[in-house]
């Protein structure tokens, strides 16, 4: 099995979480290194179309990512970007508060 990426360091010197590995001429898998077992460590299965113009992805966990890409590398990049996004909510956005409007009834005094 040839690996497309061998756990290259991503800037900080730490190995990448996901590894793209070639199974055969038309099939790839993406392994998640944080998973304890080999079978549970597969994050996605990729299948290259006969025309080599599309890669179809079967995600093995719930993700909002697409299922068709141009290359296996695009799938890995998309997964890494999605995984590195901030998790959880954002800091609350302050809403300006104004005192209630005051009604000056000068028109009735005339």
């Amino acid at each position: 099995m040839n690996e497309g990426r061998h756990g290259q360091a991503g800037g900080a010197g730490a190995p990448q979480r996901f590894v793209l590995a070639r199974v055969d001429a038309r099939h790839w898998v993406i392994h998640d290194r944080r998973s304890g077992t080999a079978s549970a460590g597969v994050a996605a299965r990729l299948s290259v179309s006969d025309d080599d113009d599309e890669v179809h992805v079967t995600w093995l966990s719930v993700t909002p990512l697409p299922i068709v890409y141009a290359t296996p590398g695009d799938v890995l990049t998309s997964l890494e970007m999605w995984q590195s996004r901030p998790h959880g909510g954002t800091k609350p956005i302050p809403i300006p508060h104004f005192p209630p409007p005051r009604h000056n009834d000068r028109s009735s005094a005339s």
Side-chain angles (χ1 to χ4, degrees):
M1 193 177 344
N2 298 332
E3 291 191 15
R5 293 189 181 179
H6 298 278
Q8 301 153 336
Q16 292 182 343
R17 176 176 176 177
F18 299 103
V19 177
L20 180 62
R22 183 176 219 140
V23 176
D24 60 31
R26 299 254 176 241
H27 298 92
W28 299 73
V29 292
I30 296 179
H31 292 281
D32 183 352
R33 290 186 170 187
R34 289 193 186 163
S35 177
T37 63
S39 62
V42 177
R45 298 185 188 279
L46 290 64
S47 176
V48 180
S49 68
D50 292 332
D51 301 332
D52 289 339
D53 62 347
E54 287 184 341
V55 176
H56 295 271
V57 182
T58 302
W59 296 108
L60 301 179
S61 62
V62 177
T63 64
L65 299 174
I67 58 171
V68 178
Y69 288 86
T71 68
D74 291 344
V75 181
L76 181 62
T77 301
S78 180
L79 179 61
E80 288 172 341
M81 288 174 50
W82 178 73
Q83 189 63 37
S84 68
R85 78 196 189 293
H87 297 284
T90 61
K91 184 177 177 181
I93 299 170
I95 300 171
H97 295 281
F98 300 103
R102 292 177 54 186
H103 296 285
N104 291 336
D105 232 16
R106 293 183 193 183
S107 59
S108 62
S110 331

